[in-house]
Amino acid sequence: TGNSNIGICCYNLSEINLANSTLWMNAPQEIDMHSNSTLDAQYSDIMGGYLGTGNIDEDPQFIDPDSLNFHLLDTSPCINSGTPDTTGLHLPPWDLDGNPRIYDGRIDMGAYEWQGVAVDDTIHNYDIVTLHQNFPNPFKSTTHISFSLPHPDKVKIQIYNLKGQLVETLLNENKQAGNHTFEWNAENVSSGIYFCKLSTDKKSSIQKLVIIK
């Protein structure tokens, strides 16, 4: 249409229900309403404001929108601000990361549910030791884990469960500077949420992994 950066485009005779969503910094506008169209928005964060129950107009505080990282900071006004009662909404059980869609009793606004834990995120800065988000995630049996080193270093990569118990040590050796990727076969690991921790002498970094079988 030439307006690919519009948040939502409501064509002629459209009837759209929007809930638990975030529309922020889209151009030239968040919502484009065509004739005879209706948009019922509730419990959503919409830049510029929009009439509807529970809607807000506040910076959602994405972690790094310039890198397309739309996870929420722990100070985001979108956390626990979605529909109070989701009965009958037929929500998927997982968000886009494969994490539980409702955490702490109430759904968040946006595509990613804040999980109440601080997790390092994929920001591609190769001047620091960086553990990138594994891919795919969620996964059934195998996933690729990658990390970047600005200089040679001894690297340890370990998997922990939600209780903080060590599940497996994947790597414990010296590595050259640069980008590194390897595959983890988790066929013998049960479904659930895990944490991948990269450690060097001066740096540690954590990413969340989700296994669904």
Side-chain angles (χ1 to χ4, degrees), residues 25-47:
M25 294 297 290
N26 294 289
Q29 61 200 87
E30 305 302 325
I31 300 173
D32 182 18
M33 297 292 297
H34 288 226
S35 60
N36 299 317
S37 296
T38 60
L39 173 66
D40 178 20
Q42 297 184 9
Y43 296 100
S44 294
D45 189 3
I46 302 174
M47 188 174 185

Side-chain angles (χ1 to χ4, degrees), residues 80-110:
N80 288 341
S81 297
T83 307
D85 183 3
T86 58
T87 303
L89 292 186
H90 304 293
L91 294 172
W94 314 102
D95 67 5
L96 292 185
D97 267 347
N99 295 317
R101 187 60 181 101
I102 298 180
Y103 177 87
D104 197 24
R106 183 168 173 176
I107 193 171
D108 298 342
M109 297 175 179

Side-chain angles (χ1 to χ4, degrees), residues 81 108 115 131 154:
S81 297
D108 298 342
Q115 298 296 308
L131 174 65
K154 184 173 184 178

Side-chain angles (χ1 to χ4, degrees), residues 38 41 47 54 79 101 124 132 136 145 151 178 200:
T38 60
M47 188 174 185
I79 296 173
R101 187 60 181 101
H124 297 291
H132 306 294
I145 296 174
H151 51 74
T200 66

Side-chain angles (χ1 to χ4, degrees), residues 2-171:
N3 293 322
S4 59
N5 292 325
I6 289 176
I8 292 181
C9 185
C10 305
Y11 288 104
N12 296 339
L13 303 178
S14 297
E15 295 182 5
I16 298 177
N17 295 312
L18 182 72
N20 308 313
S21 301
T22 301
L23 298 176
W24 201 263
M25 294 297 290
N26 294 289
Q29 61 200 87
E30 305 302 325
I31 300 173
D32 182 18
M33 297 292 297
H34 288 226
S35 60
N36 299 317
S37 296
T38 60
L39 173 66
D40 178 20
Q42 297 184 9
Y43 296 100
S44 294
D45 189 3
I46 302 174
M47 188 174 185
Y50 195 87
L51 292 177
T53 303
N55 292 333
I56 62 175
D57 177 15
E58 299 182 45
D59 184 346
Q61 298 183 34
F62 297 128
I63 286 179
D64 188 16
D66 291 338
S67 298
L68 304 182
N69 186 339
F70 298 112
H71 297 78
L72 301 175
L73 293 169
D74 59 6
T75 54
S76 169
C78 296
I79 296 173
N80 288 341
S81 297
T83 307
D85 183 3
T86 58
T87 303
L89 292 186
H90 304 293
L91 294 172
W94 314 102
D95 67 5
L96 292 185
D97 267 347
N99 295 317
R101 187 60 181 101
I102 298 180
Y103 177 87
D104 197 24
R106 183 168 173 176
I107 193 171
D108 298 342
M109 297 175 179
Y112 298 100
E113 187 82 5
W114 187 73
Q115 298 296 308
V117 294
V119 178
D120 287 353
D121 299 278
T122 305
I123 303 173
H124 297 291
N125 183 352
Y126 301 129
D127 293 330
I128 60 175
V129 176
T130 305
L131 174 65
H132 306 294
Q133 184 65 61
N134 63 301
F135 181 83
N137 191 47
F139 65 100
K140 291 184 177 180
S141 58
T142 61
T143 189
H144 289 88
I145 296 174
S146 61
F147 60 95
S148 304
L149 301 176
H151 51 74
D153 212 335
K154 184 173 184 178
V155 177
K156 180 184 292 185
I157 295 181
Q158 297 173 300
I159 303 295
Y160 292 86
N161 61 22
L162 278 174
K163 295 180 180 180
Q165 298 168 325
L166 177 64
V167 174
E168 187 175 348
T169 297
L170 305 182
L171 186 71

